[in-house]
Every structure is written in C-alpha cells, then in structure tokens.
Amino acid sequence: MISSVKHTPSPSLASQNFLSKKRFLPTRLSFSSPAIILNSICNNNSIAGDKPLHISSTESFTFSPKQLNKQLETQCNAYEADRSRPLDLNIEVLDEQARFEAAQRIKIGIYFATWWALNVVFNIYNKKVLNAFPYPWLTSTLSLACGSLIMLISWATRIADAPKTDLDFWKTLFPVAVAHTIGHVAATVSMSKVAVSFTHIIKSGEPAFSVLVSRFLLGETFPLPVYASLVPIIGGCALAALTELNFNMTGFMGAMISNLAFVFRNIFSKKGMKGNSVSGMNYYACLSMMSLLILTPFALAVEGPQMWAAGWQTALSQIGPNFVWWMAAQSIFYHLYNQVSYMSLDQISPLTFSIGNTMKRISVIVSSIIIFHTPVQPINALGAAIAILGTFLYSQAKQ
C-alpha cells in the first residue's frame, strides 16, 4: 500500500499575540491521536485500515510560524500497491527438508536390516558354540567381555567419543545391569537346552510379562485392547510349548526368566536414561561393562575353570580350530546387534522399536529352523504364528 500525504493551508484566524513573540523561538507542536486524524482530518473514508500507509511525498510538510497561524488541513490519498510480484517461497528449504526426511527413513531401514542380520548371525553361532561347549555361563561372560573390550579400544583410539559419566549415572545403571545380566544368562541357558526357535517363541511372550509387572507392581492400568492382545500371545506360546518335540523344562524356564528380567531392565532403563545425555551406543557399552563385573564371579562359582578347560578340549577335538572362530563370532555379533539396537532406539519411537523387535524374532525363528533343520509340526508353527501376531497387536494397542 502506497499513500501520499499533502498538507494545504486553509484560512483561519491568526493569533494577535503571536507576532509579539520572538521570531526564532522554538515552537511546540501537538499532534492529534490516530483516531482523531482518521475521523476528522482524512477526507477519503474508503481507506482500508488493514493495509499499511506509506508517505510518498513530504512536500510542503514544513513548519513555520506563518503556517502555525493557520489551521492545517491534511488530505490523505491512498492507493493499492502493485501485487504482480509473486510470493518468494523458499523452495530450496522445502526440498532440503524432504531430502532430510528421506535420508532418515533410509537410515532407519539400514539400522533395522543390520539389527536383524546381526541377530540372526549371533543366534546361529551361539547355538553352534552351545552344542559343542554346553557352558552358558562362560559363553555369556565372553560375550560381555568382548563387547567391553571393543568399546574400550574405540574410546582409546577416538573412534567413538567416550561418555561423560558421574557416580549418579553408575548408581542408576546398576539395577539395569543386574536385570540385563540375569536376562542374558537365562536366555543363553535356554538356548543350550532347546532349539533356538523354541526359545524365541517363548521370548515373544515378553509383552505379557511387561503388562503383568506394570499392573501389579507399578499400579499402571491399560486399555482393554492391550489386555485383549495378551490372549493370543499367551495362547500361542502355550500351544507352541505343548507341541514342541524337544521340550525341556530348563530351557522353558530359562526363556521365561529372561522375559521377566528384560521387563525389569526396560523399566529401570527408562528411569536411568531420563534426562541422560549418554548416547545409546555408549549407554549399552557402560551396561556391558557393569554386567561383566556382576556376572564374572557367578560364572566362576557355577561352572569354574576346571569345567571350562575340560569342555574346551572336548570341543576342539570334535570341531577343530573352527570352534575358536565360532566362539569369537558369537561374542562379537552379540555386542554388535545389541549396540545397533540401542542406536536405532535413539532414532525411532518405542512403538517402531517394538514392531522391529517382533519382526526380528520372526527372522531368527525362520532362519534357525532352516539352518539347523529343526523339526516343526504344523500345530507348533501355528502356535508360533499366533504368539507373534499377538505381539504385533500388542504393539498397536499399546500405542
């Protein structure tokens, strides 16, 4: 909006006392309020108040004693500015944002694919090691030791930035590490007794433990769809367990204890990571180190060096040097898949992570059945499918 303002003098009565004053005496000016100017001074009543006015000319806009003797009359003329110029939208910023979102989706997809692939490889080598070397306490200890060593080397060589922690951080991490240690050892014990597919079918019932613990110990309540989703989870796990050809009570109880321990780990992790600036990768590294300190004395007490030495000689005589590679691979891939899972948790929502965890179990179950030629009855496969479907429905209902 561009406007022009002209000031034209109109005849008025001059003050007789004005001439008696000094000519160059500073003059005080008074201005009417905008409302008075609009109502009584402007002759053009069609001016739109919502459009800005700009002074285009200041001709005759001077003040002198002569002009102060006369009443000033202001004529306001306004006209609309040319709108032919297009709006300057920053298309490049929008394109940059779209490219960033696409890159994030690709990044998350790579995280998921890497997470599932590493988990499948770990379970395969872990089962091979446990078949030849049935000492799950030492196997679990070596997995945590390998991960701790990898991260210490990464921090020392500046490949990864070392976390800044304090005593309060390690205090809040301790209960998480206890639960993680119990869950890790229990899952390894389970896989040493039963098929990998059976362990993961039982572990797909973890949401049921999560709801029960939250309900009865923490006092949390959930909507009806969440409780309804537990029916296929529990029913599918029960059907798969009853029809499992190689059922073992120790293996079954190990998977159940692992579920319960990981539920407490998740609960403690939420409290420990709240307001914490440590990244997911470094958080899991610190968790592995503390779990290693907790687990080592128990592993020595339960199994001991004598049993390990005898079992090591037997495994080398049966498998050969490949057994050493199997042991190293299961330890390395255990740390890598957990590290990637924590890194992906930094980038996605808990719901997406839960769905990814469900799909991970499907990939592990199917691949282990194919590689180890695990005998599966149709009713057993149906139970597994129902349990995993219930886990997916739980994820949707929880959201």
Side-chain angles (χ1 to χ4, degrees), residues 69-305:
N69 293 333
K70 301 176 182 181
Q71 182 180 353
L72 294 178
E73 181 179 326
T74 303
Q75 181 179 358
C76 299
N77 295 323
Y79 60 95
E80 196 166 340
D82 181 18
R83 292 192 178 184
S84 60
R85 184 179 179 183
L87 294 175
D88 188 16
L89 296 177
N90 197 345
I91 305 300
E92 293 183 359
V93 174
L94 297 178
D95 291 343
E96 189 69 24
Q97 183 178 1
R99 286 195 294 268
F100 175 77
E101 292 177 355
Q104 282 293 104
R105 287 193 292 269
I106 294 174
K107 183 179 179 180
I108 293 172
I110 293 174
Y111 274 152
F112 269 31
T114 307
W115 176 20
W116 297 341
L118 292 173
N119 190 263
V120 169
V121 175
F122 158 71
N123 279 277
I124 291 171
Y125 279 109
N126 192 43
K127 184 60 178 176
K128 285 185 175 183
V129 168
L130 293 172
N131 286 340
F133 185 77
Y135 298 97
W137 288 81
L138 177 60
T139 304
S140 302
T141 305
L142 292 177
S143 300
L144 296 174
C146 181
S148 301
L149 181 62
I150 290 174
M151 290 309 301
L152 288 174
I153 294 174
S154 300
W155 293 339
T157 57
R158 304 288 184 178
I159 297 176
D161 294 331
K164 297 179 180 179
T165 61
D166 53 15
L167 184 60
D168 291 336
F169 170 81
W170 294 102
K171 286 181 179 179
T172 56
L173 186 66
F174 180 75
V176 183
V178 171
H180 178 72
T181 304
I182 296 173
H184 176 42
V185 173
T188 308
V189 169
S190 176
M191 280 190 280
S192 68
K193 299 296 182 180
V194 296
V196 176
S197 57
F198 179 71
T199 298
H200 280 272
I201 290 172
I202 302 303
K203 283 179 67 63
S204 64
E206 184 177 325
F209 286 85
S210 178
V211 171
L212 295 176
V213 170
S214 300
R215 176 67 182 87
F216 294 105
L217 295 183
L218 302 180
E220 296 183 14
T221 58
F222 300 93
L224 182 60
V226 173
Y227 294 109
S229 66
L230 301 183
V231 176
I233 294 176
I234 298 174
C237 290
L239 183 61
L242 291 174
T243 57
E244 174 65 27
L245 297 177
N246 299 316
F247 180 83
N248 180 278
M249 181 57 69
T250 303
F252 175 76
M253 292 304 299
M256 297 289 282
I257 293 172
S258 177
N259 282 338
L260 186 61
F262 282 140
V263 167
F264 281 103
R265 183 195 67 176
N266 296 337
I267 292 173
F268 294 139
S269 293
K270 290 179 182 178
K271 296 180 180 179
M273 295 184 71
K274 187 178 295 183
N276 190 11
S277 60
V278 179
S279 65
M281 179 179 66
N282 285 335
Y283 187 86
Y284 179 71
C286 296
L287 180 63
S288 295
M289 294 175 187
M290 183 164 280
S291 295
L292 176 63
L293 295 176
I294 296 172
L295 177 59
T296 301
F298 288 96
L300 291 170
V302 174
E303 294 174 348

Side-chain angles (χ1 to χ4, degrees), residues 374-386:
T374 306
V376 179
Q377 295 180 340
I379 191 68
N380 185 262
L382 178 62
I386 293 174

Side-chain angles (χ1 to χ4, degrees), residues 142-143 146-147 150 325 327-337:
L142 292 177
S143 300
C146 181
I150 290 174
W325 160 247
M327 183 69 77
Q330 73 90 21
S331 300
I332 294 172
F333 283 107
Y334 173 79
H335 173 76
L336 292 179
Y337 101 78

